[in-house]
Amino acid sequence: MINILFVCMGNICRSPAAEAILKKKLRDSNLGERFFVDSAGTIDYHAGELPDPRMIDCGNKRGYKLDHHARKFFPKIDFDKYDYIFTMDELNYTAIVNWDREKKFSNKIKRITDYCNNFKLNQVPDPYYGDENDFNYVLDILEDACNSIIRSLENDKSNY
């Protein structure tokens, strides 16, 4: 089984949305049983909370179930457990890289926007202080990236 983790700051908007999107796309491609998908935040401010209600609403309208309870990234556990760690922005990428003090896991840490085909961005914007349009824009970006992630995983079937 391949383990995939999405990381943003609070784990209530972007990363749980990416988790829900990838889970659905993997199920729809009959690949769901081969992957474990999760999400985490670089801070624990929202630990235990469900995703932002606005993200839940926007995701539901697209058929995604956002029911993850926020948690903080745990370097001692998550680096070993996950095969891929996708970060949403440079701040979170830097945090994860810095927690890998011995640089043993650098091959696992990726910027999710590197997988976008239709968007040329260096980060997924945080919609927290925005409106419904901002949440939908984030979903558009994450759908694009998740489509490419699946193609990448399918092309490297030696992973599973």
Side-chain angles (χ1 to χ4, degrees):
M1 180 170 280
I2 300 299
N3 297 312
I4 298 170
L5 183 68
F6 294 104
V7 179
C8 68
M9 184 174 288
N11 192 215
I12 60 166
C13 293
R14 297 170 292 174
S15 58
E19 174 188 347
I21 290 167
L22 188 63
K23 282 179 175 178
K24 182 176 185 324
K25 290 182 176 292
L26 287 168
R27 276 192 314 272
D28 291 351
S29 300
N30 294 316
L31 296 171
E33 293 180 10
R34 297 178 183 164
F35 297 90
F36 176 77
V37 183
D38 196 8
S39 62
T42 55
I43 63 171
D44 63 358
Y45 183 77
H46 296 286
E49 294 179 20
L50 286 170
D52 186 293
R54 297 166 295 173
M55 185 58 84
I56 292 172
D57 184 52
C58 290
N60 283 342
K61 290 175 183 172
R62 296 184 188 207
Y64 304 122
K65 183 178 181 182
L66 282 89
D67 58 359
H68 172 85
H69 286 82
R71 72 171 184 89
K72 188 174 189 278
F73 182 87
F74 297 111
K76 290 181 180 178
I77 297 169
D78 292 337
F79 278 131
D80 285 322
K81 180 176 181 174
Y82 292 94
D83 303 295
Y84 297 93
I85 300 169
F86 293 100
T87 62
M88 298 294 141
D89 61 32
E90 199 60 32
L91 183 67
N92 295 297
Y93 178 83
T94 300
I96 299 297
V97 166
N98 288 340
W99 286 332
D100 179 19
R101 290 192 173 99
E102 296 176 20
K103 306 301 177 216
K104 292 178 10 183
F105 306 105
S106 58
N107 62 319
K108 297 180 175 191
I109 307 166
K110 316 223 179 261
R111 293 172 180 91
I112 194 165
T113 53
D114 289 346
Y115 288 79
C116 287
N117 285 321
N118 300 320
F119 295 90
K120 301 301 177 209
L121 303 166
N122 59 5
Q123 66 180 11
V124 179
D126 189 344
Y128 187 76
Y129 294 105
D131 60 19
E132 184 177 348
N133 291 328
D134 297 301
F135 283 86
N136 281 312
Y137 180 58
V138 165
L139 290 173
D140 292 341
I141 295 166
L142 295 175
E143 287 172 340
D144 182 29
C146 286
N147 286 335
S148 294
I149 289 169
I150 289 173
R151 280 193 298 277
S152 175
L153 293 168
E154 286 178 324
N155 289 336
D156 189 8
K157 291 191 188 262
S158 64
N159 285 324
Y160 50 90

